[in-house]
């Protein structure tokens, strides 16, 4: 099922995100005064966005490096 749903990286990312949201909701119901759901979800969003920006930057840098290595003939 994972391979049919868009690949393992995407599928496991979505599964982890949904599990985190469910846990956050359960903790919010159990401890309404201690859990700041809006602040937590904002921090999670910022961390996720930062991760994917870094992954994109690293991927582009690696692709450019590989392209230059091949085009110069040192591969």
């Amino acid at each position: 099922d994972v391979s049919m749903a868009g690949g393992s990286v995407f599928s496991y990312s979505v599964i982890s995100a949904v599990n985190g949201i469910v846990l956050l909701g359960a903790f919010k119901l159990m401890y309404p005064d201690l859990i700041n759901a809006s602040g937590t979800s904002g921090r999670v969003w910022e961390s996720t966005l930062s991760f994917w920006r870094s992954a994109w930057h690293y991927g582009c840098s690696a692709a450019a490096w590989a392209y230059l290595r091949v085009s110069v003939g040192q591969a």
Side-chain angles (χ1 to χ4, degrees):
D1 291 344
V2 170
S3 62
M4 292 174 47
S8 60
V9 172
F10 174 75
S11 297
Y12 291 132
S13 298
V14 170
I15 291 168
S16 297
V18 171
N19 285 339
I21 290 169
V22 169
L23 280 175
L24 181 61
F27 286 138
K28 180 68 175 170
L29 288 173
M30 291 188 299
Y31 308 107
D33 296 335
L34 296 176
I35 304 297
N36 180 5
S38 63
T40 302
S41 59
R43 285 192 304 275
V44 168
W45 173 253
E46 290 171 5
S47 298
T48 303
L49 189 59
S50 174
F51 169 80
W52 286 112
R53 281 183 180 158
S54 298
W56 177 259
H57 177 71
Y58 175 75
C60 289
S61 297
W65 178 82
Y67 175 76
L68 290 174
R69 294 279 295 187
V70 168
S71 66
V72 172
Q74 296 180 1

